[in-house]
């Protein structure tokens, strides 16, 4: 029994050293942003942040939060505006904002380099 536990322990250590598996659920993964793929992180005036991924030749925007994602379609009248229901993403060279109806939820957002 002890021999099988020792073999399992050695196998786990070897596996962890050869892969990106994190055996400690309480540690911070330094590559956490890599989970967002090719999305760009935006940091806003209030230090809140989200990730933004454009796809379909910029016809759609995917806003990624820690606990959910929202897909938005580009406006037919303004190429810098993306909407879905009451949610509106306004992209600008100087600043990006995300609104829910009339309320600005994220403002002064800029891509993090």
């Amino acid at each position: 029994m002890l021999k099988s536990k020792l073999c399992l322990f050695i196998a786990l250590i070897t596996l962890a050293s050869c892969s990106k598996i994190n055996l400690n659920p309480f540690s911070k993964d330094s590559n956490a942003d890599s989970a967002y793929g090719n999305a760009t992180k935006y940091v806003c005036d209030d230090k809140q942040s989200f990730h933004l991924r454009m796809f379909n030749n910029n016809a759609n925007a995917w806003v990624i939060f820690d606990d959910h994602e929202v897909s938005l379609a580009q406006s037919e009248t303004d190429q810098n505006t993306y909407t879905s229901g009451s949610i509106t993403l306004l992209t600008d060279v100087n600043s990006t904002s995300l609104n829910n109806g009339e309320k600005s939820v994220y403002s002064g957002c800029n891509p993090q380099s």
Side-chain angles (χ1 to χ4, degrees), residues 33 39-43 50-51 109-113:
D33 285 346
T40 301
K41 183 174 184 176
Y42 278 73
V43 178
F50 60 87
H51 286 77
C109 306
N110 291 295
Q112 181 178 358
S113 51

Side-chain angles (χ1 to χ4, degrees), residues 5 21 24 38 40 42 45 47 63-64 69 85 97 102:
K5 287 183 180 181
I21 294 175
N24 183 354
N38 61 350
T40 301
Y42 278 73
D45 286 342
K47 304 299 182 210
V63 182
I64 306 165
E69 300 89 22
S97 63
E102 297 294 318

Side-chain angles (χ1 to χ4, degrees), residues 45-72:
D45 286 342
D46 56 4
K47 304 299 182 210
Q48 289 184 316
S49 65
F50 60 87
H51 286 77
L52 180 63
R53 180 180 300 144
M54 307 305 282
F55 59 101
N56 292 338
N57 293 324
N58 291 338
N60 297 91
W62 189 11
V63 182
I64 306 165
F65 302 98
D66 290 337
D67 58 349
H68 69 285
E69 300 89 22
V70 178
S71 179
L72 308 170

Side-chain angles (χ1 to χ4, degrees), residues 4 10 22 28 35 38 40 64 68 70 76 78 83 91 109:
S4 64
I10 291 171
N22 183 2
K28 270 214 170 226
N38 61 350
T40 301
I64 306 165
H68 69 285
V70 178
E76 294 178 9
D78 182 1
T83 62
T91 61
C109 306

Side-chain angles (χ1 to χ4, degrees), residues 94-109:
N94 298 319
S95 180
T96 295
S97 63
L98 188 64
N99 302 327
N100 187 358
E102 297 294 318
K103 181 181 178 191
S104 178
V105 181
Y106 295 88
S107 61
C109 306

Side-chain angles (χ1 to χ4, degrees), residues 11-23 29 31:
L12 287 174
I13 295 298
T14 304
L15 180 64
S17 66
C18 296
S19 68
K20 289 189 162 199
I21 294 175
N22 183 2
L23 296 177
D29 182 6
N31 295 321

